[in-house]
Amino acid sequence: MFLLLPFDSLIVSLLGISLTVLFTLLLVFIIVPAVFGVSFGIRKLYMKTLLKIFAWATLRMERGAKEKNHQLYKPYTNGIIAKDPTSLEEEIKEIRRSGSSKALDNTLEFELSDIFYFCRKGVETIMDDEVTKRFSAEELESWNLLSRTNYNFQYISLRLTVLWGLGVLIRYCFLLPLRIALAFTGISLLVVGTTVVGYLPNGRFKEFLSKHVHLMCYRICVRALTAIITYHDRKNRPRNGGICVANHTSPIDVIILASDGYYAMVGQVHGGLMGVIQRAMVKACPHVWFERSEVKDRHLVAKRLTEHVQDKSKLPILIFPEGTCINNTSVMMFKKGSFEIGATVYPVAIKYDPQFGDAFWNSSKYGMVTYLLRMMTSWAIVCSVWYLPPMTREAEEDAVQFANRVKSAIARQGGLVDLLWDGGLKREKVKDTFKEEQQKLYSKMIVGNHEDRSRS
């Protein structure tokens, strides 16, 4: 018979008590509130405390830089240089007016010097590229005690270094294990809960259980990221038979929205752990999953989505029409597919606060595991979500115009830059059609003036 020494028994007892206390705290302060959708305000108090610490650290860093005569790097606000919008014709006229004696001549003819205008525009685009900078992390003006978020990170003082080291210990030795435990709990409950609900006969009771199982599990996963979310205008939340479209910054966008609403997901069938989750979820809820071979068939995708939204008893579909993650400073071109099927569109704007952690997933730089590790070792994920009034396609609009109108509304509400560029430029070269547009515009401008003069 195996006997424990008194000291070993004490260690085992203390470990058992510690685990019991930890599980009780998780149950009382995290899991139970997640089930009922309530909060004790602990995360908001945590956020306010962090803001005060960040403000002190930034002031201390600036003071230390002044004492050592170091120049601090200051990023542009929102990552873009403000420019007044002007047309190609107006800009060329202004250049000729300032550099030529033909100040009063408003007609435009080809001049060899026009070449320099296009050269200058090309250099400006390279220096201040408003597209590729959307695929890199947003720069911060203040320091949040994460070395990966500030160009000014260097030794300033002993107190600041000690504070940074203490932050590393808290994030990696306390928050990370706690968050992994919560994420495991949320995902396990989601798989088990949806599988059990899937065996129930279809009806209101099954729908009720499925909705609350999904909400409970997503709320636990939200707490695994210490996410502090503010939802605005909940009266505009998506309803059955509609399509919810939102700007896309991160894979956790799904969790952020699904913790406050009940959606049918759209996506490609995966293998591994993701495949297990998908197969369990679809048993309890009519999600729309596509095989890899079906994804590129636009007509098949449109048919499946149309059939779903035409059934007003089915859940609203959640779609991110940008098709890729953007760094939360702008909204890029919406793919027109989800705007062609004639359903009511419910726009949603998501804006993250990068002070506490950068939610942007740079998929060309980080794999999913590395990205999740960065998320779980950040201080918190803080964001605001705005539910905009529902929008429908007008009689004279085509799908592209409708998509642009929805995109503009989302950008305006979220304080984001509205860009016409395709997010696919993250991995692809600029299409020749974009280059040809400028050539056609210049040619039309010159030819048009010649035609006007010949008529007169």
Side-chain angles (χ1 to χ4, degrees):
M1 184 175 179
F2 181 73
L3 297 176
L4 292 175
L5 298 175
F7 179 75
D8 296 332
S9 300
L10 179 62
I11 295 297
V12 172
S13 299
L14 289 176
L15 183 61
I17 293 172
S18 300
L19 291 175
T20 303
V21 171
L22 178 61
F23 179 76
T24 303
L25 290 175
L26 288 176
L27 187 67
V28 173
F29 289 102
I30 296 178
I31 297 178
V32 173
V35 172
F36 295 100
V38 297
S39 174
F40 294 122
I42 298 174
R43 285 174 294 169
K44 289 189 176 180
L45 179 63
Y46 169 70
M47 181 180 71
K48 291 178 180 178
T49 304
L50 285 176
L51 283 174
K52 292 180 180 179
I53 295 174
F54 296 162
W56 176 84
T58 301
L59 289 174
R60 186 68 190 86
M61 187 170 61
E62 290 176 349
R63 190 189 312 161
K66 288 180 180 179
E67 292 173 356
K68 297 182 179 180
N69 294 322
H70 288 164
Q71 186 175 1
L72 291 177
Y73 172 82
K74 289 288 185 181
Y76 290 113
T77 304
N78 206 24
I80 189 169
I81 300 175
K83 297 190 181 97
D84 295 326
T86 55
S87 68
L88 171 67
E89 186 172 354
E90 289 173 350
E91 288 191 33
I92 291 182
K93 281 183 178 180
E94 182 61 32
I95 292 173
R96 292 182 179 182
R97 190 178 296 117
S98 60
S100 174
S101 59
K102 301 178 182 179
L104 299 177
D105 186 6
N106 289 324
T107 62
L108 282 177
E109 294 184 357
F110 172 74
E111 290 187 8
L112 189 61
S113 60
D114 291 347
I115 296 173
F116 295 107
Y117 164 77
F118 291 103
C119 291
R120 191 197 73 184
K121 293 295 289 185
V123 173
E124 284 181 355
T125 302
I126 294 172
M127 296 297 294
D128 183 42
D129 182 2
E130 65 179 10
V131 177
T132 55
K133 68 172 60 175
R134 307 302 168 185
F135 306 131
S136 58
E138 185 178 0
E139 298 171 19
L140 300 180
E141 294 188 9
S142 59
W143 190 32
N144 59 2
L145 297 178
L146 299 177
S147 59
R148 58 181 180 249
T149 61
N150 197 282
Y151 285 93
N152 300 309
F153 176 70
Q154 55 184 314
Y155 177 80
I156 299 294
S157 69
L158 179 61
R159 281 190 297 176
L160 198 59
T161 303
V162 170
L163 183 62
W164 172 80
L166 182 61
V168 171
L169 289 176
I170 292 173
R171 289 185 292 110
Y172 282 88
C173 299
F174 175 71
L175 291 179
L176 179 59
L178 176 63
R179 289 168 175 171
I180 290 175
L182 284 174
F184 178 79
T185 302
I187 293 173
S188 300
L189 288 176
L190 180 64
V191 172
V192 173
T194 51
T195 300
V196 172
V197 171
Y199 288 110
L200 298 176
N202 293 332
R204 291 187 177 181
F205 182 64
K206 179 178 180 179
E207 291 178 5
F208 175 83
L209 279 183
S210 176
K211 176 180 179 180
H212 286 83
V213 165
H214 278 85
L215 287 174
M216 175 190 70
C217 297
Y218 283 125
R219 286 167 181 168
I220 293 174
C221 291
V222 159
R223 283 161 171 78
L225 297 168
T226 317
I228 303 164
I229 314 166
T230 305
Y231 296 98
H232 304 271
D233 300 320
R234 280 178 160 166
K235 62 182 181 294
N236 295 325
R237 280 187 291 189
R239 298 182 180 180
N240 288 2
I243 297 178
C244 174
V245 299
N247 57 300
H248 198 24
T249 302
S250 161
I252 67 173
D253 293 338
V254 175
I255 301 174
I256 297 296
L257 294 178
S259 65
D260 189 54
Y262 190 31
Y263 299 95
M265 307 297 177
V266 177
Q268 179 181 308
V269 174
H270 292 275
L273 176 60
M274 184 61 70
V276 173
I277 297 173
Q278 286 180 322
R279 288 191 293 273
M281 289 172 62
V282 80
K283 292 177 182 177
C285 175
H287 298 288
V288 185
W289 305 131
F290 294 96
E291 296 293 339
R292 183 182 295 272
S293 59
E294 298 175 332
V295 172
K296 295 183 179 180
D297 189 341
R298 292 182 64 252
H299 297 290
L300 177 62
V301 172
K303 181 183 176 183
R304 292 274 302 276
L305 295 182
T306 302
E307 291 173 351
H308 184 98
V309 299
Q310 285 178 346
D311 187 348
K312 300 304 178 184
S313 65
K314 289 188 176 180
L315 300 175
I317 295 175
L318 178 58
I319 293 179
F320 301 99
E322 285 171 298
T324 190
C325 294
I326 313 299
N327 71 354
N328 210 223
T329 62
S330 62
V331 184
M332 302 190 78
M333 187 182 79
F334 279 7
K335 304 293 190 295
K336 66 178 182 178
S338 53
F339 300 91
E340 291 178 320
I341 59 180
T344 300
V345 171
Y346 294 86
V348 177
I350 306 174
K351 178 63 178 176
Y352 291 91
D353 187 342
Q355 290 184 89
F356 304 90
D358 182 22
F360 168 59
W361 181 33
N362 187 349
S363 56
S364 60
K365 187 176 181 180
Y366 302 110
M368 178 59 75
V369 175
T370 304
Y371 168 75
L372 290 176
L373 178 63
R374 289 169 66 87
M375 288 296 95
M376 290 189 171
T377 55
S378 296
W379 292 110
I381 299 298
V382 179
C383 73
S384 294
V385 176
W386 290 272
Y387 296 107
L388 280 66
M391 302 174 70
T392 55
R393 182 172 165 181
E394 297 177 354
E396 67 278 5
E397 279 186 323
D398 59 24
V400 174
Q401 292 171 331
F402 182 32
N404 287 335
R405 183 160 61 91
V406 173
K407 176 169 69 75
S408 297
I410 291 175
R412 189 164 52 249
Q413 180 63 73
L416 306 167
V417 179
D418 186 3
L419 297 176
L420 295 175
W421 294 98
D422 185 356
L425 292 174
K426 178 191 289 189
R427 297 181 179 86
E428 300 174 0
K429 294 182 179 180
V430 178
K431 296 179 181 178
D432 291 335
T433 52
F434 288 115
K435 303 174 187 177
E436 292 171 0
E437 281 181 8
Q438 292 295 316
Q439 296 170 356
K440 289 179 181 178
L441 185 60
Y442 179 72
S443 175
K444 183 179 179 182
M445 182 180 67
I446 299 298
V447 173
N449 279 284
H450 276 293
E451 289 179 351
D452 293 338
R453 292 175 66 182
S454 61
R455 288 172 186 170
S456 61

